Amino acid sequence: MIICLFWYIIDYIDVKFGGTNIKESKADLNDKDKLVQGKNTDVSTELVLVNKKYSLSKNYKPEALTIPNIPFADGTENEENHVAGIIIKPIEELVNTAKQEGVILLGNSAYRSYKSQKDTYSDRVKSDGRKLANAYVAKPGFSEHQTGLCIDMTNEDRYFMKGTKEADWLGENAYRFGFIIRYPEGKKSITDIEYEPWHIRYVGEKAAKYIYDNGITLEEYLGK
Ligand SMILES: [Zn+2]
């Protein structure tokens, strides 16, 4: 009884003061007015959390998808050249500043629609089986690339690893433009994804600086 009451109070506090729609079940969500499912419903766009627990709806498409004016690696498919409107300026500034500082960065893969993720996932299931597919490919709705807020970068050698000039520059400077290294080294237990020095995610300058200064992940920043 006491324990029940305790949980009730905790729940109440969360709902009342936490600001999250924690009580809202997925069934209550309508694709049209709640673009993001579950507990993600009231965060600002640039702080939306997409990972193995938090997904985007099938119909979620970022606003003002646009091709930024940055160089892309050869062979990047047209859809993947696009980013959400709010990150055009930040990504252009990041790439231009890198160039001024002697580092050539290329875009590799940014936006991926629900449909293309679904195709990639089901192709992988067919070729490698579901277990391997789940280990390497995000299920449709669970890829951060659907937000249009992230982009995989590369370099002219197509070898973007820790210790290369380009990856090191990105790791040290992305926050200046509002981006974070979304899957940092040593944080797999939190992000559930191996270190990816190439995958940067826009979160806005304030959050990016805080995350960079404290060496944390987006999950930790959002308290998830
Ligand atoms: Zn990526």
Side-chain angles (χ1 to χ4, degrees), residues 94-154:
L94 180 149
V95 171
N96 288 335
T97 306
K99 195 176 170 191
Q100 282 159 18
E101 296 178 10
V103 173
I104 304 297
L105 296 173
L106 307 174
N108 198 20
S109 176
Y111 173 64
R112 293 177 208 153
S113 65
Y114 183 95
K115 190 189 172 298
S116 62
Q117 193 67 30
K118 193 175 163 203
D119 293 345
T120 306
Y121 179 75
S122 49
D123 286 352
R124 195 65 178 258
V125 170
K126 267 179 226 156
S127 62
D128 296 347
R130 193 165 296 274
K131 203 176 161 199
L132 274 180
N134 286 341
Y136 293 104
V137 182
K139 287 181 186 165
F142 293 83
S143 168
E144 193 176 66
H145 284 270
Q146 195 188 335
T147 65
L149 298 171
C150 63
I151 176 166
D152 294 338
M153 304 303 293
T154 190

Side-chain angles (χ1 to χ4, degrees), residues 56-223:
L56 294 170
S57 81
K58 194 166 95 184
N59 299 328
Y60 183 78
K61 198 176 169 188
E63 272 176 53
L65 274 176
T66 310
I67 302 178
N69 187 18
I70 62 167
F72 277 89
D74 294 342
T76 303
E77 285 180 35
N78 190 260
E79 180 180 88
E80 295 184 35
N81 289 346
H82 289 71
V83 295
I86 60 167
I87 82 161
I88 296 167
K89 219 173 139 219
I91 192 63
E92 289 177 353
E93 281 177 4
L94 180 149
V95 171
N96 288 335
T97 306
K99 195 176 170 191
Q100 282 159 18
E101 296 178 10
V103 173
I104 304 297
L105 296 173
L106 307 174
N108 198 20
S109 176
Y111 173 64
R112 293 177 208 153
S113 65
Y114 183 95
K115 190 189 172 298
S116 62
Q117 193 67 30
K118 193 175 163 203
D119 293 345
T120 306
Y121 179 75
S122 49
D123 286 352
R124 195 65 178 258
V125 170
K126 267 179 226 156
S127 62
D128 296 347
R130 193 165 296 274
K131 203 176 161 199
L132 274 180
N134 286 341
Y136 293 104
V137 182
K139 287 181 186 165
F142 293 83
S143 168
E144 193 176 66
H145 284 270
Q146 195 188 335
T147 65
L149 298 171
C150 63
I151 176 166
D152 294 338
M153 304 303 293
T154 190
N155 55 13
E156 281 165 340
D157 295 339
R158 296 286 199 111
Y159 180 77
F160 203 85
M161 301 304 282
K162 191 181 172 185
T164 63
K165 188 169 138 187
E166 295 82 9
D168 290 353
W169 188 93
L170 195 63
E172 287 305 312
N173 295 282
Y175 79 91
R176 294 163 56 193
F177 309 90
F179 291 88
I180 56 167
I181 302 295
R182 178 69 178 87
Y183 309 115
E185 197 172 19
K187 294 282 188 178
K188 197 195 163 190
S189 61
I190 297 164
T191 62
D192 221 2
I193 299 204
E194 298 284 352
Y195 174 45
E196 289 193 357
W198 56 83
H199 179 118
I200 54 170
R201 157 70 196 271
Y202 186 75
V203 291
E205 282 182 32
K206 188 174 146 247
K209 186 168 188 324
Y210 187 90
I211 288 169
Y212 173 80
D213 285 346
N214 292 283
I216 58 171
T217 60
L218 182 59
E219 279 83 359
E220 291 165 292
Y221 181 76
L222 296 172

